Amino acid sequence: MAENSPAAAYQQLLDRAERVGTLETMDNLLFWDQQVMMPPGGTPARSTQRGLVSSLQHEALTGDDVEAWLDTVDDADLDDDQQAVVREVRREHERKASVDQDLTEAINAVISEANDAWEEAKANDDFDTFAPYLDELLELKREQANQIDPDKEPFAVMLEEYEPYVGVETAERVLDNLKEALVPLIEKIRASDVDPSGPFVDRGPYDEDTQMALSEDALSFVQCDWDRARLDTSPHPFSYGNRYDMRITTRFHDHSPVDGLDSSLHEYGHATYEMGLDEDAFPGPLGQSRSHSIHESQSRFWENHVGRSEAFWEQFLPIVQKHFPRLSDVTPREAYEAANQVYEDNLTRVEADEVTYHLHIVVRFEIERALLNGELEVEDVPEVWNDKYEQYLGIRPENDSEGCLQDIHWSIGRIGTFQGYSLGTVFSAQLQHSLEADFDAPLDELVRDRRFDEIRQWMEEHVHRHGKRYPTDELPAAATGERLTTEYFVDRITEKYADIYDL
């Protein structure tokens, strides 16, 4: 193989992409350790460590050698998979080469400090503790966006950081469709005389240790591969790692075991995606997850379509009752309805029901866009946040901890990402429709028969194994035969809640 041949250049690109992928998995584990295991005083060293990993990633992707290899393969005769690898490396190279390395290091240094500041601010209900870090992060992120593409609004540039090939217009279309469908549905639900809130909230408190054991049993119930996963707690649930080593985190509330179960199953869905990626292509682009929204399609599927199904509660309730005997008289139908209650006064996104959840996303989408585009000052965030909650959900936070400080995303630099939750939720319903057609059976039947391995294998075949083979906006069609549509989500949610609330 000639040293400067297209074949050699392609192999060099692939090797470099795999190096970058490995560095990313290392950074993920450093972050997990910071959230779960690291002593409070470890932040200065962790900031240096993560800064170095970021610097190595930046150098690996932005060097002149990468540009030369890309030029060499530009007109080469490559197969589809090779073209996909080149496309992804080129995209990452062009975006990162546009950004000064000093700026990248500055962003990561602020993130390491901002996360601790957010935790302190949230614990003390003091937005002012976190505000300076958020202000600095936004300034740096605007500069990052400007260096990548000065002709686009900063929010659109950063959205594409998490949703490659998906424009801000797609996010607007999906969110507008959801608002149009969900606002009248919420009004009907609130006018209903049905109250499915029993049977959990009046029988607490539920201690954390028992809830952790229950969550472990829940993941075992859906056939989690514990040889490649572990479950811990963190202030905000997340799941990081790689196909061989997934670190899942959850959190609990003592008023109900449902919230902890939802979080655990949600994060398990993320883990299934990483563990289902193509082993032969790992850690290169075809062995990496596609985007935030595709990740969310998996987590929302396991949380909502499986964990909040009536069939799940028919099968899993005896395990809940084993851990909490006080629930021995609860019926599966009561548990199912309680797990799907629409909360009129819920202020927390991660604890939201399937219906109101997307209005939580709309609030964040609008605020993030205004912040990144310089149309909203950081100091005004709490008031604007509270006003939008009152406008869209009819409720108003009483403090910043239950308001604008509830999410970890800003403190770890993930600014411009919330719309992915709604895009992924919509896709999860589309995936269910396609899965049921292939199995010639409703999902409830598969859950009732505990065919979780088969469900996961279907997801691996249609979503996971593709990695970054397809651009994000093309993957839904590759997986289901249709472009991304809200139709299946709206139909499913309308039918489901009409049944629960007797609409």
Side-chain angles (χ1 to χ4, degrees), residues 7 9 22 49 62 110 135 142 167 186 248 369 376 386 451 454 462:
T22 297
Q49 293 160 355
T62 59
V110 174
D135 199 33
R142 287 189 206 102
I186 291 169
I248 306 169
R369 194 173 190 181
L376 174 65
N386 295 348
R451 297 166 65 182
E454 293 178 60
H462 290 80

Side-chain angles (χ1 to χ4, degrees), residues 203 317 320-322 324-331 334:
R203 306 195 188 188
L317 182 58
V320 177
Q321 292 166 330
K322 180 190 72 174
F324 295 107
R326 75 195 75 163
L327 302 175
S328 60
D329 62 332
V330 175
T331 68
E334 289 173 332

Side-chain angles (χ1 to χ4, degrees), residues 200-240:
F200 298 122
V201 293
D202 296 328
R203 306 195 188 188
Y206 300 88
D207 70 276
E208 183 171 313
D209 289 344
T210 307
Q211 287 196 65
M212 173 59 86
L214 177 62
S215 281
E216 290 172 344
D217 279 355
L219 299 195
S220 294
F221 181 78
V222 295
Q223 299 166 357
C224 174
D225 182 357
W226 289 112
D227 286 341
R228 296 189 288 159
R230 61 175 287 150
L231 179 67
D232 295 275
T233 59
S234 64
H236 189 103
F238 68 93
S239 181
Y240 269 173

Side-chain angles (χ1 to χ4, degrees), residues 359-469:
L359 299 184
H360 291 260
I361 297 302
V362 169
V363 170
R364 288 153 176 79
F365 178 83
E366 293 179 354
I367 288 178
E368 283 193 333
R369 194 173 190 181
L371 281 171
L372 269 174
N373 291 345
E375 300 162 356
L376 174 65
E377 297 297 326
V378 168
E379 64 185 18
D380 296 326
V381 166
E383 183 177 1
V384 172
W385 182 288
N386 295 348
D387 288 345
K388 286 183 179 294
Y389 260 77
E390 193 163 21
Q391 175 187 354
Y392 293 133
L393 287 157
I395 50 178
R396 190 175 186 88
E398 294 184 0
N399 56 65
D400 295 337
S401 291
E402 65 181 16
C404 61
L405 286 173
Q406 66 180 264
D407 293 299
I408 195 175
H409 298 63
W410 294 346
S411 74
I412 59 174
R414 293 180 67 86
I415 302 172
T417 184
F418 279 107
Q419 64 285 332
Y421 293 104
S422 289
L423 295 172
T425 301
V426 165
F427 187 34
S428 69
Q430 191 168 332
L431 286 168
Q432 176 180 337
H433 176 80
S434 185
L435 179 150
E436 289 177 334
D438 285 353
F439 278 96
D440 193 24
L443 179 61
D444 266 9
E445 180 179 317
L446 303 179
V447 171
R448 195 170 286 113
D449 293 341
R450 305 190 186 189
R451 297 166 65 182
F452 300 113
D453 273 343
E454 293 178 60
I455 294 171
R456 189 170 51 250
Q457 288 164 8
W458 187 94
M459 288 294 182
E460 289 179 7
E461 173 67 20
H462 290 80
V463 179
H464 306 171
R465 71 176 179 88
H466 293 308
K468 294 183 177 180
R469 181 171 285 104

Side-chain angles (χ1 to χ4, degrees), residues 25 37 40 51 58 60 131 144 149 194 218 229 304 307 311 317 332 339 380 400 446 460 462 479 491:
T25 65
M37 302 295 293
H58 191 273
Q144 180 184 10
D149 191 341
V194 175
N304 292 331
L317 182 58
D380 296 326
D400 295 337
L446 303 179
E460 289 179 7
H462 290 80
D491 288 349

Side-chain angles (χ1 to χ4, degrees), residues 331-342:
T331 68
R333 178 68 186 189
E334 289 173 332
Y336 162 70
E337 291 179 349
N340 288 282
Q341 177 189 3
V342 174

